[in-house]
Amino acid sequence: MIKVSMPIIVEGKYDRIKLAQFIDGVIIETSGFKVFKNKELIDSLRNLSLTKGIIVLTDSDSSGFKIRNFLKSVLPQNAKITDVYIPQIKGKEKRKISSSSEGLLGVEGLDEDTIISCFDRAKITSSFKKNLRDGKGFLISKNYSTKQELYVSQKDLEYFNVQRRKTY
């Protein structure tokens, strides 16, 4: 799990569900364009952005940018807003029959590693806890302070497992 201290703002419930699989933190959904008329949500986001700060993570399509820009326009100038941008990857989410009008994957369609790398590019510091299985199926839990340390450790563990298999 990735521990994130600032609330993360996403477009919809499937984005929230996706992030909740590997993020330990507050995830708030805007319900898409409904945020434009939801004064209560806007007031809450205004307060959060001034006290804790917020992370805005929307899809890379035009709708995502409209929501992102709307939030920036209604939040105070001195609000602490961290933008996390996802790459424009063509594709279709598994739960959908056809791809979006722009043919791009949204947050829900991206894999965990891609989303984590987006957080890294935004310079969001966090701690990672990864559950790994060793060569004999034993579960190993370890805390990591950076993503780089996590990947180095996964690589080392894979090497260790290959070496151990050679000895049996």
Side-chain angles (χ1 to χ4, degrees), residues 96-108:
K96 295 182 178 176
I97 296 169
S98 61
S99 62
S100 67
S101 60
E102 295 177 35
L104 300 172
L105 288 175
V107 172
E108 72 172 280

Side-chain angles (χ1 to χ4, degrees), residues 17-132:
I17 291 167
K18 177 71 175 194
L19 292 181
Q21 294 173 3
F22 58 91
I23 289 187
D24 179 14
V26 176
I27 304 167
I28 301 169
E29 61 184 86
T30 66
S31 299
F33 291 134
K34 290 181 182 177
V35 71
F36 295 168
K37 295 182 180 179
N38 190 337
K39 300 288 185 206
E40 190 176 309
L41 177 59
I42 293 168
D43 288 341
S44 295
L45 294 178
R46 190 174 287 127
N47 289 334
L48 281 171
S49 68
L50 290 171
T51 55
K52 288 184 134 187
I54 60 170
I55 298 168
V56 178
L57 175 64
T58 60
D59 296 348
S60 60
D61 60 5
S62 59
S63 297
F65 280 100
K66 283 180 188 173
I67 293 168
R68 183 185 299 274
N69 290 331
F70 170 77
L71 291 174
K72 286 182 177 181
S73 73
V74 297
L75 297 176
Q77 292 283 26
N78 59 341
K80 185 174 184 332
I81 303 169
T82 304
D83 286 306
V84 174
Y85 295 95
I86 64 169
Q88 292 185 334
I89 299 173
K90 296 225 177 255
K92 174 186 85 64
E93 278 88 9
K94 291 178 184 175
R95 70 174 182 88
K96 295 182 178 176
I97 296 169
S98 61
S99 62
S100 67
S101 60
E102 295 177 35
L104 300 172
L105 288 175
V107 172
E108 72 172 280
L110 297 177
D111 61 78
E112 178 180 336
D113 288 337
T114 302
I115 295 172
I116 290 171
S117 69
C118 296
F119 276 76
D120 284 346
R121 279 195 306 277
K123 308 237 185 300
I124 296 171
T125 57
S126 56
S127 62
F128 297 81
K129 182 175 184 180
K130 191 73 174 181
N131 291 325
L132 304 171

